[in-house]
Amino acid sequence: MRVMLMVLPTKARVYSMAPVGWALAAAGHEVRFVGQRNPREVASFAETGLDAMWFGDELDLARHRRLQVDGNTARQGDFRISESRPECYTDEYVRNVYEHWVDVFRWTTPDSLLDELVLFARHWQPDLVVWDPVVYAAPIVAHALGVPHLRMIDAADQTARLGAQYRDRGASRPENTSDTSPDPFVTWMSAAVGRFGADYDETLRYGVRTIDCHPSYLRYDGVDVDYLPARFVPQDKPMPLPSWMLEQPTRPRVLLTLGSSDCQTPGIEQPSIGDLLDGLADLDIEVIATADASQLASVPAIPENVRAVDSAPMNELLATCSAVVHQGDGATISNAAVNGVPQLVIPGTTWSERCSAVAQAKRGNGLLVDLENATPSRVRAGVCRLLEEPSFRECALEVRDEMLATPTLDDLVPELERMALCP
């Protein structure tokens, strides 16, 4: 069969979707990335070894960043999708965040792009579409062709959480209320698929099913999603394995990473890497800090127990680590989980970082230090707890075993084949 993979063209998202493409290609199917082109990430697509085709205008990354930094927009201001405190989930919050994100989805799905994608898809005739949870061009194209489609999430399912909150908001509204405004997602998507002669249905929200390769404790209750759990596949940019990584550490090794994908889709705040290094400087540990020159520019001196590197293969590095400090993105959480490594999260504000950190702390394999509390002493105390209290390591190993017992993407291929045959 032919399978279209549709993803926001940033490195982290390309890498997160590649494993399902590999599994399908290994089973003999024709797999192709299809979507908008980002000139900065052409290499990322090539590194997956899968075919790629681009349509529409180049992705306006500058505008994408402005969606996050201008006033009360989708990722900044008073109404952030990254909010995780239940007391903040007011009617005003839910309505504003929901409307903001429908605007984002609409912005990433211009009619001109849809026209090109549908024209190509009608020519190529895919049997299945797998899509990134913010690329709503994908379900529109699949629906226009009558092709089954699945989401593949790369972090905690914020769109489903928000959708459930918006649904519950409507259900609890008194019948005589003056607020009878239509669901903006339904209005937009009805018009979008209607251009191609199709009618709206609810599979346009979250796909026929959703492939979820993350720890089960990151899933929300009460969402209208049919999850297809799969084992997380660690992947990274191809790079040589440094010789020092093969040597057995003589003292506990701790990875400190603030991620790389945020260089193009940044959150607003990040902890000071200098403060983090200061907090760990006097511990009898080996710190591996993955940081580039711009992140280290304000650090007057690298502590003696720190090895700073631009990048490193995360899966192989985490296999040698006793703890990891990071900002809470889905890939780092899952990479650490499959390696049984306790985690200290200083959550960012881009997507689901704090929600995930809260869930992880509740599960017991990690700790949460909010950005405003991320002083050197608190980070130091958190790392000491992860290294000295056995419960964190024990729980991290339980989570690892749970993930290793989850079906692989190879195991799921027959199910995906059945879906394509019976749309």
Side-chain angles (χ1 to χ4, degrees):
M1 64 183 181
R2 288 177 169 173
V3 183
M4 282 173 48
L5 307 181
M6 301 187 69
V7 62
L8 191 72
T10 60
K11 178 168 57 179
R13 292 179 178 272
V14 172
Y15 289 168
S16 71
M17 189 170 285
V20 73
W22 297 334
L24 288 161
H29 301 297
E30 188 175 354
V31 181
R32 184 173 295 178
F33 278 108
V34 175
Q36 273 186 286
R37 186 168 82 95
N38 174 1
R40 293 179 58 181
E41 295 297 354
V42 170
S44 298
F45 285 95
E47 286 159 0
T48 70
L50 298 170
D51 291 340
M53 293 186 68
W54 295 287
F55 298 89
D57 297 331
E58 292 181 355
L59 183 65
D60 184 351
L61 286 171
R63 185 176 176 188
H64 186 73
R65 285 193 290 269
R66 285 197 295 273
L67 288 169
Q68 304 169 54
V69 299
D70 288 348
N72 286 334
T73 57
R75 287 182 174 168
Q76 168 65 346
D78 299 330
F79 306 106
R80 300 180 181 181
I81 199 169
S82 59
E83 180 59 68
S84 64
R85 295 166 294 180
E87 65 271 19
C88 294
Y89 293 158
T90 63
D91 186 85
E92 183 183 22
Y93 164 86
V94 171
R95 178 178 54 79
N96 273 277
V97 178
Y98 189 82
E99 291 175 355
H100 278 316
W101 278 93
V102 172
D103 285 343
V104 174
F105 300 148
R106 184 186 298 115
W107 169 75
T108 60
T109 317
D111 287 347
S112 57
L113 173 64
L114 284 174
D115 291 341
E116 291 188 32
L117 289 170
V118 170
L119 183 64
F120 165 73
R122 284 175 172 163
H123 167 74
W124 197 55
Q125 290 293 303
D127 302 288
L128 187 69
V129 176
V130 182
W131 53 284
D132 178 318
V134 300
V135 179
Y136 274 91
I140 294 171
V141 171
H143 206 60
L145 272 67
V147 174
H149 55 97
L150 303 92
R151 285 191 314 158
M152 185 171 182
I153 58 177
D154 63 348
D157 199 349
Q158 291 291 78
T159 47
R161 188 267 299 169
L162 179 60
Q165 288 178 328
Y166 189 85
R167 174 203 65 201
D168 295 343
R169 168 182 174 270
S172 63
R173 188 185 303 131
E175 291 184 5
N176 61 352
T177 183
S178 60
D179 182 5
T180 58
S181 55
D183 183 328
F185 179 84
V186 175
T187 300
W188 164 53
M189 291 295 274
S190 295
V193 298
R195 292 178 63 238
F196 304 104
D199 295 323
Y200 177 87
D201 72 41
E202 278 294 299
T203 63
L204 290 164
R205 284 189 189 272
Y206 311 127
V208 177
R209 301 191 74 179
T210 291
I211 301 171
D212 183 5
C213 298
H214 296 89
S216 59
Y217 59 77
L218 296 185
R219 292 186 201 122
Y220 295 108
D221 295 327
V223 297
D224 299 321
V225 180
D226 184 3
Y227 289 111
L228 194 58
R231 187 187 308 173
F232 179 78
V233 179
Q235 71 284 322
D236 209 331
K237 177 180 179 179
M239 65 184 77
L241 194 67
S243 59
W244 59 263
M245 199 180 294
L246 301 176
E247 300 169 2
Q248 185 67 28
T250 58
R251 47 187 175 168
R253 178 175 285 170
V254 176
L255 171 61
L256 169 61
T257 178
L258 299 181
S260 60
S261 64
D262 283 352
C263 294
Q264 292 196 43
T265 56
I268 306 308
E269 302 94 353
Q270 278 192 338
S272 162
I273 193 166
D275 287 349
L276 299 183
L277 294 178
D278 285 345
L280 304 177
D282 63 344
L283 296 178
D284 186 22
I285 61 176
E286 177 191 10
V287 179
I288 308 298
T290 59
D292 60 25
S294 64
Q295 291 173 303
L296 295 173
S298 61
V299 180
I302 304 296
E304 291 185 2
N305 68 339
V306 174
R307 183 193 297 270
V309 295
D310 284 345
S311 60
M314 183 173 288
N315 181 55
E316 290 78 2
L317 177 54
L318 281 169
T320 72
C321 288
S322 300
V324 56
V325 180
H326 64 98
Q327 84 285 15
D329 69 277
T332 307
I333 285 177
S334 294
N335 266 293
V338 296
N339 280 286
V341 180
Q343 309 176 46
L344 188 149
V345 178
I346 306 171
T349 61
T350 301
W351 188 250
S352 61
E353 297 91 342
R354 193 176 190 279
C355 298
S356 298
V358 169
Q360 187 158 264
K362 184 177 179 179
R363 180 65 177 83
N365 60 321
L367 292 171
L368 161 65
V369 177
D370 277 313
L371 182 68
E372 59 269 23
N373 299 322
T375 61
S377 61
R378 283 195 172 96
V379 172
R380 181 185 189 281
V383 169
C384 287
R385 286 192 63 193
L386 295 182
L387 296 177
E388 296 170 2
E389 298 180 23
S391 64
F392 292 107
R393 176 67 172 173
E394 292 167 359
C395 187
L397 293 176
E398 289 176 2
V399 170
R400 179 201 64 185
D401 292 345
E402 290 169 9
M403 292 196 74
L404 294 179
T406 306
T408 67
L409 288 167
D410 290 334
D411 295 332
L412 296 187
V413 168
E415 175 64 20
L416 304 188
E417 293 169 338
R418 284 191 291 271
M419 289 181 62
L421 291 171
C422 304

